[in-house]
């Protein structure tokens, strides 16, 4: 049966500062004729028993307007009449989500009905030109930004010119949070960020191999550094002496003396270098340029993992939580696919300047973690030495250890079989025993 939804307005504040946009109503919303009153909505709004994420982020319901791509209940909670992922059907408007390679891994589509719903939604949102728009989940994000891949795009600011240049900040749908509780951290973080308003950082990049520009950055005792590699070789280096300024240059075109200036800087123990994954970059440079790194390393990946051990520590994820930098990591693949040197250099410069900003934000909350952080950094020089030197491995001893470990594993599996009265050896998960 073809679904013919009723297009309705949302509900909430008459002068909202924040508008939350979901996908469609559930059963409880259809009964109440209001959006976000079911389980997912209660996660945002809270209840008499516990505060919701909005309250935890400092928002009151008097400041928030709630709506959906469609304020109606699709039969069986099936939103495929509006949006689907896969091969586009005739009449669909398609958007590619970047995958791990150069080809899109999936295609996100708004159907003709989805586009009709989008037009109604844009008319609805135009009544609130001063509000920040927060689409929750892929369908609403696709409708407002033309982009998909919510776990990459969440926390990024987009300016939507079609609706009075409003800011759009996608985030995780609370229904997904109910299934994956760790995602509550990201949704709460995005609500907290928007509480203070959207304030993008204006960055200035010099994409040059001019030695004077590099020396200007190296005049600072604290810089951020990012390297890009091509295979096993260094391709480019970016340096930032502040979050808003960086210089990026291709190593093939470096001026005489530029490498010497950078080696001198990295060999000076009075200098500090901020790197995201400091061990990798420092080892790559030592191997390529045959020198001993003596500058102090400040590692944003290490510090983030100490403060937030449950979260992914890739730079784009760190930046989405600590800065207003829009997601930029697809630029690397695009530059590689198109051979765009300027885009490649800009990508490195952004990595360096964003790393600098993330370091400053992390240090603001690093207090109790600093002793562990400093003691771990103190091991970096020894770790680099051992990495360059390598380790001697006795194949005979390794085989003996492997056999001993396998023997212990076999004994433990036999004991487990006896205790459970079931053959559990070789099972990958407990539920497989139930299925047997």
């Amino acid at each position: 049966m073809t679904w013919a939804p009723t297009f309705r307005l949302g509900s909430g504040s008459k002068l909202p500062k924040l508008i939350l946009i979901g996908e469609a109503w559930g059963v409880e919303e259809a009964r109440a004729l209001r959006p976000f009153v079911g389980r997912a909505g209660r996660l945002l709004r809270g209840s008499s028993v516990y505060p919701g994420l909005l309250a935890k982020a400092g928002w009151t319901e008097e400041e928030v307007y709630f709506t959906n791509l469609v304020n109606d209940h699709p039969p069986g909670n099936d939103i495929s009449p509006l949006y689907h992922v896969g091969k586009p059907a005739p009449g669909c408007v398609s958007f590619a989500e970047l995958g791990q390679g150069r080809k899109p891994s999936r295609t996100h589509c708004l159907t003709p009905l989805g586009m009709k719903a989008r037009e109604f939604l844009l008319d609805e949102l135009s009544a609130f030109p001063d509000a920040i728009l927060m689409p929750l989940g892929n369908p609403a994000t696709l409708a407002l930004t033309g982009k998909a891949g919510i776990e990459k795009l969440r926390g990024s600011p987009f300016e939507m010119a079609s609706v009075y240049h409003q800011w759009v900040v996608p985030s995780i749908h609370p229904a997904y949070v109910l299934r994956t509780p760790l995602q509550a951290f990201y949704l709460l973080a995005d609500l907290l960020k928007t509480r203070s308003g959207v304030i993008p950082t204006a960055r200035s990049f010099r994409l040059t191999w001019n030695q004077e520009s590099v020396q200007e950055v190296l005049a600072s005792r604290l810089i951020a550094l990012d390297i890009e590699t091509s295979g096993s070789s260094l391709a480019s280096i970016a340096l930032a002496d502040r979050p808003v300024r960086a210089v990026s240059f291709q190593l093939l075109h470096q001026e005489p003396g530029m490498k010497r200036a950078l080696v001198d800087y990295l060999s000076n123990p009075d200098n500090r270098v901020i790197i995201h994954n400091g061990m990798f970059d420092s080892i790559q440079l030592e191997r390529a340029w045959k020198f001993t790194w003596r500058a102090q390393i400040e590692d944003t990946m290490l510090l983030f993992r100490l403060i937030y051990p449950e979260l992914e520590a890739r730079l784009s994820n760190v930046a989405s939580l600590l800065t207003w930098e829009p997601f930029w990591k697809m630029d690397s693949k695009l530059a590689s696919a198109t051979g765009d040197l300027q885009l490649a250099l800009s990508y490195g410069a952004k990595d360096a300047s964003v790393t600098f900003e993330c370091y400053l934000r992390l240090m603001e909350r690093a207090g109790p973690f600093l002793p562990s952080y400093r003691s771990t950094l103190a091991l970096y020089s020894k770790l680099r030495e051992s990495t360059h030197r390598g380790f001697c491995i006795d194949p005979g001893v390794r085989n003996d250890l492997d056999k001993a470990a396998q023997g212990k594993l076999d004994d433990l599996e036999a004991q487990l079989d006896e205790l459970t009265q079931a053959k559990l050896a070789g099972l990958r998960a407990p539920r497989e025993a139930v299925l047997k």
Side-chain angles (χ1 to χ4, degrees):
M1 184 178 69
T2 302
W3 178 42
T6 299
F7 292 106
R8 302 178 177 90
L9 298 175
S11 64
S13 172
K14 303 300 182 185
L15 294 171
K17 296 179 180 178
L18 176 69
I19 300 179
L20 299 179
I21 305 120
E23 298 171 1
W25 285 356
V27 173
E28 292 182 70
E29 285 82 3
R31 189 180 300 123
L33 295 179
R34 293 173 57 217
F36 289 102
V37 295
R39 288 183 64 215
R42 287 192 290 275
L43 188 65
L44 291 167
R45 297 177 185 263
S47 69
S48 59
V49 179
Y50 59 86
L53 294 179
L54 282 168
K56 289 182 179 180
W59 289 101
T60 65
E61 286 202 33
E62 290 72 27
E63 298 174 298
V64 183
Y65 182 86
F66 302 87
T67 191
N68 284 284
L69 182 56
V70 171
N71 284 304
D72 201 352
H73 180 216
N77 292 325
D78 178 13
I79 65 167
S80 62
L82 302 169
Y83 156 91
H84 69 271
V85 180
K87 186 177 179 179
C92 287
V93 177
S94 307
F95 303 88
E97 176 192 359
L98 289 178
Q100 295 301 311
R102 294 179 181 177
K103 294 182 178 180
S105 60
R106 294 184 291 177
T107 300
H108 295 248
C109 309
L110 287 180
T111 66
L113 181 59
M115 290 301 293
K116 185 177 179 181
R118 177 182 180 273
E119 292 173 8
F120 184 89
L121 175 63
L122 293 181
D123 286 341
E124 178 184 8
L125 298 177
S126 67
F128 310 109
D130 298 322
I132 296 171
L133 309 179
M134 182 174 283
L136 303 173
N138 270 320
T141 298
L142 185 64
L144 296 188
T145 69
K147 302 177 185 296
I150 192 62
E151 292 188 0
K152 296 176 182 177
L153 300 177
R154 55 137 295 277
S156 287
F158 298 92
E159 193 172 9
M160 194 167 68
S162 61
V163 186
Y164 300 103
H165 299 280
Q166 284 172 289
W167 285 110
V168 180
V169 182
S171 193
I172 305 296
H173 196 288
Y176 183 50
V177 173
L178 293 175
R179 302 191 300 270
T180 315
L182 181 61
Q183 297 296 325
F185 184 92
Y186 292 111
L187 177 52
L188 178 59
D190 296 337
L191 290 168
L192 282 166
K193 280 174 62 177
T194 54
R195 174 73 271 189
S196 302
V198 180
I199 312 172
T201 301
R203 305 186 195 276
S204 173
F205 301 146
R206 276 178 284 182
L207 313 179
T208 176
W209 41 86
N210 179 274
Q211 186 167 347
E212 184 178 338
S213 299
V214 174
Q215 290 284 14
E216 186 177 341
V217 172
L218 295 181
S220 172
R221 289 295 189 186
L222 175 66
I223 66 168
L225 178 146
D226 177 76
I227 67 169
E228 300 299 327
T229 59
S230 177
S232 58
S233 303
L234 295 178
S236 65
I237 293 180
L239 309 170
D241 61 350
R242 63 196 73 172
V244 297
R245 187 175 75 168
V247 58
S248 181
F249 54 93
Q250 191 181 27
L251 290 178
L252 290 175
H253 298 285
Q254 60 181 314
E255 286 188 358
M258 186 182 295
K259 173 183 170 182
R260 182 71 263 163
L262 192 51
V263 166
D264 287 346
Y265 188 95
L266 300 177
S267 302
N268 187 341
D270 293 330
N271 295 326
R272 294 159 60 212
V273 183
I274 308 164
I275 312 176
H276 197 74
N277 192 5
M279 282 296 295
F280 176 82
D281 285 22
S282 58
I283 287 173
Q284 291 295 314
L285 283 168
E286 280 190 328
R287 283 177 172 170
W289 289 352
K290 310 300 182 187
F291 76 104
T292 300
W293 183 299
R294 292 190 176 87
Q296 303 171 57
I297 291 179
E298 301 287 352
D299 193 333
T300 47
M301 177 179 283
L302 170 64
L303 188 52
F304 184 83
R305 282 177 169 162
L306 287 171
I307 301 173
Y308 304 107
E310 302 92 348
L311 306 182
E312 290 189 49
R314 65 184 190 276
L315 180 58
S316 59
N317 194 54
V318 176
S320 75
L321 293 167
L322 302 177
T323 78
W324 278 116
E325 187 63 41
F327 183 75
W328 74 99
K329 284 298 182 175
M330 78 286 286
D331 290 351
S332 176
K333 296 182 177 67
L334 183 59
S336 179
T338 62
D340 188 333
L341 176 59
Q342 294 298 300
L343 182 60
L345 293 177
S346 178
Y347 171 83
K350 188 167 292 187
D351 269 6
S353 59
V354 169
T355 298
F356 204 123
E357 184 175 358
C358 288
Y359 170 73
L360 297 179
R361 300 289 175 265
L362 287 169
M363 290 303 291
E364 292 171 357
R365 57 198 76 185
F369 304 96
L370 284 176
S372 296
Y373 175 63
R374 294 301 177 197
S375 62
T376 304
L377 288 178
L379 301 174
Y380 274 26
S381 61
K382 295 298 182 183
L383 288 171
R384 283 198 303 273
E385 288 177 14
S386 61
T387 301
H388 292 313
R389 184 177 64 247
F391 299 91
C392 294
I393 297 176
D394 187 320
V397 173
R398 183 176 63 181
N399 290 337
D400 291 342
L401 291 172
D402 285 343
K403 290 178 182 178
Q406 186 60 50
K408 290 182 180 179
L409 180 61
D410 293 342
D411 290 342
L412 290 171
E413 287 184 340
Q415 293 176 38
L416 186 59
D417 291 345
E418 185 177 350
L419 289 170
T420 59
Q421 298 299 306
K423 186 68 175 176
L424 300 180
L427 298 184
R428 294 169 297 176
R431 67 176 180 175
E432 293 186 7
V434 177
L435 294 174
K436 286 195 173 186

